[in-house]
Amino acid sequence: MAFCGLGSVIIFVSRSGRNNPSSRGAETVCNVVAENENVTAEAQATTAAAAYSTKDGFLYCENERIQDIIVKENIDWCFYLYSQSQLTRNYQAYQQALEGLPSIIGYAIKANNNYKILEHFANLGSGAVLVSGNELKMALKAKFDPTRCVFNGNGKLQEELNLAAQHGVLVNIDSEFDLDHIIEAGRVRKVRAMLRINPDVDPQVGNRN
């Protein structure tokens, strides 16, 4: 089984305004950040360009001028602007790459736990990557299929593992004491546990002797 991380394209628009105590005029600052795990820089640039462009001296998102969005929504402070279409394209790109393989595509909730984004990925059929019991609760609220979610981290609490077992979440065994807690959770309900294996990968951690 392959479990793939799912990145996102994010645009951050900061507009100084009357509520900004450090404002020095009506300057508008725009920064575009593209982050896709295991995707080349060239592919990231192509992905970002599909959603964001500049023309006439203005920045656009999905062919809508961001300055117009700022005026229409009466925004005078910082906000994040996401392209739902681009997030969908990102997900579909992973689907196409893994077509025919037994795999799960997972969105890492720690990357951005905006509920609307979680709900959107859940509706697309994405799984989720979790590192806490709270993230598991968020995934369940957003209607992710818990059997397509993976719980990572060597600091998992017993009650978090019990909740994961209750909903059939895949649980990675990340340490010996983590395994002890997983076994304890398994005394009440069967736990779907697994090991992460990285074949022929040099961790390059240096000599620790």
Side-chain angles (χ1 to χ4, degrees), residues 23-138:
S23 173
R24 294 186 178 181
E27 182 181 28
T28 300
V29 181
C30 301
N31 297 305
V32 177
V33 179
E35 182 178 354
N36 283 306
E37 295 178 10
N38 302 321
V39 179
T40 66
E42 181 181 357
Q44 287 187 19
T46 302
T47 300
Y52 307 104
S53 60
T54 57
K55 56 186 176 181
D56 304 325
F58 288 92
L59 185 62
Y60 286 73
C61 177
E62 300 292 353
N63 297 318
E64 185 166 358
R65 195 168 70 167
I66 293 175
Q67 182 65 33
D68 293 340
I69 297 174
I70 292 172
V71 174
K72 179 181 177 181
E73 301 297 332
N74 193 29
I75 298 169
D76 59 6
W77 193 232
C78 303
F79 71 100
Y80 283 91
L81 179 64
Y82 303 91
S83 166
Q84 179 173 305
S85 297
Q86 186 59 60
L87 294 174
T88 301
R89 288 192 289 266
N90 289 353
Y91 180 78
Q92 291 173 342
Y94 281 101
Q95 278 187 315
Q96 293 171 7
L98 295 169
E99 187 175 2
L101 297 175
S103 59
I104 296 175
I105 303 171
Y107 177 75
I109 290 182
K110 67 180 180 181
N112 189 329
N113 62 8
N114 181 292
Y115 180 73
K116 288 297 183 181
I117 290 178
L118 300 185
E119 194 174 46
H120 179 62
F121 279 124
N123 288 337
L124 290 174
S126 175
V129 182
L130 318 167
V131 293
S132 73
N134 283 336
E135 289 187 0
L136 171 53
K137 292 175 183 177
M138 294 184 71

